[in-house]
Amino acid sequence: PKESPLMSLVSLQNVNGSWALNAALAALLGLTEAEARGKMPAQVSLGTWATVLAVLWLHARAAGQRDEWELLEAKAQGWLRANAEPQLAECVDAANSLLGCSVSPSLFGL
């Protein structure tokens, strides 16, 4: 049987809570890797960009399964806080635009 998109996303999360921007993550998000990289704000690391994209996807596309990914998100949020970049708000705006969603930046404590 085909793995659910949520389980695919879970399997791509790194042990530290982040995600890497690669072809598998981009495909899950409905993008090519080039499209995902092309919309990444300047001076944002690939890990931050990929992690923000993954967290926004969870809120926009898997909201009904929140109980299944709450801890996954908490780990990602912890990683983002530890590796926070000044451009995080810009990153969230760009990710919302790319994914066609409207998740509030307050989700990231902004």
Side-chain angles (χ1 to χ4, degrees):
K2 188 173 183 264
E3 190 173 51
S4 77
L6 176 59
M7 288 301 107
S8 295
L9 187 70
V10 168
S11 71
L12 294 173
Q13 189 178 32
N14 295 316
V15 173
N16 66 7
S18 70
W19 274 268
L21 185 56
N22 55 36
L25 178 63
L28 185 96
L29 299 173
L31 307 165
T32 66
E33 191 174 350
E35 287 171 326
R37 287 175 182 263
K39 299 292 183 182
M40 185 174 79
Q43 286 138 16
V44 170
S45 73
L46 283 172
T48 295
W49 179 236
T51 302
V52 168
L53 286 171
V55 170
L56 262 60
W57 184 93
L58 287 169
H59 281 268
R61 306 287 191 277
Q65 298 167 284
R66 185 180 183 99
D67 58 326
E68 296 178 41
W69 53 258
E70 282 182 311
L71 296 175
L72 181 93
E73 180 198 24
K75 193 168 187 179
Q77 293 281 13
W79 183 86
L80 283 167
R81 276 191 296 281
N83 297 279
E85 298 180 38
Q87 305 86 352
L88 190 56
E90 180 187 351
C91 195
V92 172
D93 288 343
N96 270 320
S97 176
L98 180 62
L99 296 177
C101 54
S102 56
V103 176
S104 172
S106 64
L107 174 71
F108 297 92
L110 303 174

